[in-house]
Amino acid sequence: VAESTKRLVQESFAKLLDRKSGRAGELTEVFYERFFDLDPAVKHYFEGADMVVLGKALAGIIAVMVKGLDDLPSLAPKLLALGKRHAIYGVKEEHYANVGPALIYAMEKVIGQEFDQDQLDAWHGVLDVVAGYILQGSASLDGEESSVRCKRQAKLFVFHTWRETYYRLTATSLVRYQSAGESDQSRARAEYPLEEISSLELAKQDNRLLIHVEGLAKPLVLSHSNAADLAAWKEEIEWRQTVLTRAYRRDYA
């Protein structure tokens, strides 16, 4: 990426993150509206989702991408992993076709006349590079592996159970529910922000994932018969910590 292109992208995005007139939330809101207008078929992927949380997550991803232009070799593996992760969730190559146009539309709408032709061209160039890495990561999964892992992880990350304790992983926290049985309403609930998770330890010998949380004397212990599921949990938590939470809050919140 040329230095002039990188500068134009970073300067234009910085306007959306100004502490006094920050408009990152407006950007993601306009983006999703436009994205769903361009491709109504993708809306079912977002049914029941908290769009405010998703908007913050998207802003975090864009922020990491923009900042990462300073070191593209380090950014590339993150984009490859992002593409692979979305393939696991069932996202197909054609679903990406309207992401760039929707984002450009949102940038023009929110920034207004300050978003000139040079910035527009710069964003087109950067998004082409980013899309190339994401699609490469997406293509790294064959259809069978993607389908199998999608079904497994859809259950794992939406609402999985360990005995009488239920865990749900959101964009910013791990939520624990306690209940007497699967059909009962949750009796108690505790949320652990991802930035307060200090370390993760995978005990493969007895299929346990130990989650050490700041302020808790003992770690959360997740047990499961499938070690691959626990490894996927560990990977997902670590990814959300670095990309969706810490990077966004440290550099741009």
Side-chain angles (χ1 to χ4, degrees):
V1 178
E3 283 296 320
S4 58
T5 298
K6 180 178 68 176
R7 177 179 55 80
L8 286 167
V9 168
Q10 291 177 334
E11 288 179 354
S12 58
F13 190 65
K15 295 175 182 178
L16 298 169
L17 301 170
D18 180 78
R19 292 184 180 276
K20 293 182 179 180
S21 59
R23 292 169 284 179
E26 184 182 354
L27 174 76
T28 56
E29 182 179 349
V30 174
F31 165 81
Y32 279 117
E33 289 178 357
R34 182 61 172 171
F35 185 50
F36 295 150
D37 285 343
L38 293 173
D39 189 0
V42 302
K43 292 186 71 172
H44 77 275
Y45 285 99
F46 300 85
E47 289 178 358
D50 186 330
M51 298 307 295
V52 174
V53 171
L54 283 181
K56 290 181 179 179
L58 175 62
I61 291 174
I62 298 172
V64 169
M65 178 196 77
V66 171
K67 189 177 181 65
L69 295 176
D70 291 324
D71 187 2
L72 192 57
S74 296
L75 175 64
K78 297 177 182 178
L79 298 175
L80 291 169
L82 183 65
K84 185 174 182 179
R85 190 178 308 278
H86 279 75
I88 290 171
Y89 296 155
V91 177
K92 302 183 184 301
E93 181 175 339
E94 57 265 27
H95 295 145
Y96 291 100
N98 294 307
V99 172
L103 183 58
I104 293 294
Y105 174 87
M107 295 287 292
E108 292 179 306
K109 196 78 170 178
V110 175
I111 296 179
Q113 294 182 348
E114 295 178 62
F115 194 68
D116 58 27
Q117 187 63 46
D118 289 339
Q119 292 176 341
L120 176 63
D121 292 341
W123 272 93
H124 275 299
V126 165
L127 290 177
D128 284 344
V129 172
V130 169
Y133 282 111
I134 292 176
L135 291 174
Q136 183 181 341
S138 178
S140 67
L141 283 179
D142 60 43
E144 182 178 357
E145 180 185 3
S146 176
S147 176
V148 171
R149 293 192 66 188
C150 178
K151 291 178 181 178
R152 175 172 62 79
Q153 293 197 356
K155 179 181 180 183
L156 177 66
F157 295 128
V158 173
F159 211 69
H160 205 87
T161 64
W162 280 267
R163 299 175 184 173
E164 295 184 353
T165 302
Y166 301 71
Y167 290 86
R168 183 175 186 272
L169 187 62
T170 74
T172 57
S173 63
L174 181 66
V175 184
R176 179 179 66 181
Y177 299 85
Q178 292 178 317
S179 175
E182 292 188 15
S183 62
D184 294 346
Q185 293 292 325
S186 300
R187 292 181 176 179
R189 162 181 172 167
E191 291 196 33
Y192 307 102
L194 295 188
E195 68 267 24
E196 293 181 8
I197 294 178
S198 56
S199 64
L200 300 165
E201 180 183 352
L202 191 60
K204 295 183 179 180
Q205 67 276 11
D206 52 3
N207 288 348
R208 297 191 307 161
L209 177 61
L210 307 181
I211 303 179
H212 298 271
V213 180
E214 296 176 7
L216 293 184
K218 297 182 179 180
L220 301 175
V221 180
L222 308 187
S223 300
H224 198 272
S225 58
N226 191 330
D229 279 354
L230 292 175
W233 254 92
K234 182 175 182 292
E235 178 185 348
E236 182 76 6
I237 293 173
E238 290 173 338
W239 182 80
R240 288 181 185 271
Q241 280 184 308
T242 56
V243 177
L244 301 185
T245 304
R246 288 181 177 173
Y248 176 76
R249 292 185 178 179
R250 180 184 65 242
D251 297 328
Y252 299 102

